[in-house]
Amino acid sequence: DAKTTQPTSMDCAEGRAANLPCNHSTISGNEYVYWYRQIHSQGPQYIIHGLKNNETNEMASLIITEDRKSSTLILPHATLRDTAVYYCIVRVPHDAGNMLTFGGGTRLMVKP
Amino acid sequence: DGGITQSPKYLFRKEGQNVTLSCEQNLNHDAMYWYRQDPGQGLRLIYYSQIVNDFQKGDIAEGYSVSREKKESFPLTVTSAQKNPTAFYLCASSINWNQGTGNTIYFGEGSWLTVV
């Protein structure tokens, strides 16, 4: 699986959009981009994933650049409950181990 | 409700003892996984299983053992050979390793193991 690079931490004001960047310059053609988040002492929560098109669901939007070397997770109206560590992962869904490799992630702090 | 259930949430173990963490899923998923997370760190894969009666070592399998006798169950045993077992353990599952549309992995709530 390709490595990803994320900022260590970010702040966001409550009610504003939170834009979390991720670089994955070595991504290969069949690797998807996944985003998870983890609140302290809980299991990671799936947010969204995509291959090359932008995606949106009830939680967030995922914007993937045309060259697929980077992506941005957008939380349109951040709340205090969105404070968590956000992980960006790239992987081939059906590779031999179907594994997820988590790096350090971005610690998002939503402030009142 | 459908989901992944891990138990116990908190477990204390004396040095030299084996301990087994339970993971049960009712999502009818084929693949199951065990990860370890140390404070402030990402997740590291211990073992994974793609189908019943089959499992493979992950990146840090030494000192751990698993079984997959039933589709819904994937228990993890932390043996006395694991030198630094105190950590947060996460079980996960996905529908089928060979599906091509994204094959999302879902996680349980985790188990804290402390060696005393």
Side-chain angles (χ1 to χ4, degrees), chain B residues 31-116:
Chain B
M32 297 187 74
Y33 314 81
W34 273 105
Y35 290 85
R36 169 183 171 139
Q37 188 175 33
D38 293 286
Q41 305 295 312
L43 278 66
R44 293 184 289 168
L45 182 68
I46 304 172
Y47 268 98
Y48 64 97
S49 167
Q50 296 179 11
I51 57 172
V52 175
N53 293 320
D54 181 70
F55 49 84
Q56 305 294 330
K57 293 182 178 180
D59 300 324
I60 56 166
E62 185 176 353
Y64 299 97
S65 66
V66 294
S67 63
R68 187 82 187 279
E69 297 176 0
K70 297 186 295 183
K71 185 176 185 178
E72 60 269 24
S73 179
F74 191 41
L76 173 74
T77 297
V78 184
T79 75
S80 57
Q82 170 51 234
K83 299 304 180 187
N84 186 22
T86 295
F88 188 47
Y89 290 87
L90 287 156
C91 180
S93 70
S94 64
I95 189 166
N96 186 310
W97 72 279
N98 201 26
Q99 290 201 357
T101 59
N103 203 354
T104 301
I105 293 180
Y106 296 95
F107 288 84
E109 287 303 305
S111 294
W112 283 98
L113 173 63
T114 302
V115 174
V116 297

Side-chain angles (χ1 to χ4, degrees), chain A residues 32 34 36 38 94 96 98-99, chain B residues 33 37 45 50 97 100 102 105:
Chain A
Y32 284 68
Y34 288 77
Y36 285 78
Q38 187 176 26
H94 47 276
N98 198 18
M99 294 174 280
Chain B
Y33 314 81
Q37 188 175 33
L45 182 68
Q50 296 179 11
W97 72 279
I105 293 180

Side-chain angles (χ1 to χ4, degrees), chain A residues 16-86:
Chain A
R16 303 297 294 269
N19 298 294
L20 291 91
C22 180
N23 287 324
H24 31 80
S25 58
T26 59
I27 192 170
S28 60
N30 58 351
E31 287 184 311
Y32 284 68
V33 180
Y34 288 77
W35 283 84
Y36 285 78
R37 70 181 183 185
Q38 187 176 26
I39 297 169
H40 183 63
S41 298
Q42 297 183 21
Q45 177 188 22
Y46 164 78
I47 301 173
I48 199 167
H49 74 276
L51 182 61
K52 54 184 177 181
N53 297 323
N54 296 339
E55 302 287 345
T56 295
N57 63 20
E58 64 278 5
M59 289 182 67
S61 295
L62 173 61
I63 308 299
I64 303 174
T65 59
E66 191 170 346
D67 63 6
R68 300 205 329 120
K69 293 185 176 182
S70 66
S71 61
T72 301
L73 178 75
I74 302 173
L75 307 178
H77 305 287
T79 70
L80 299 180
R81 292 185 179 181
D82 292 322
T83 293
V85 177
Y86 287 77

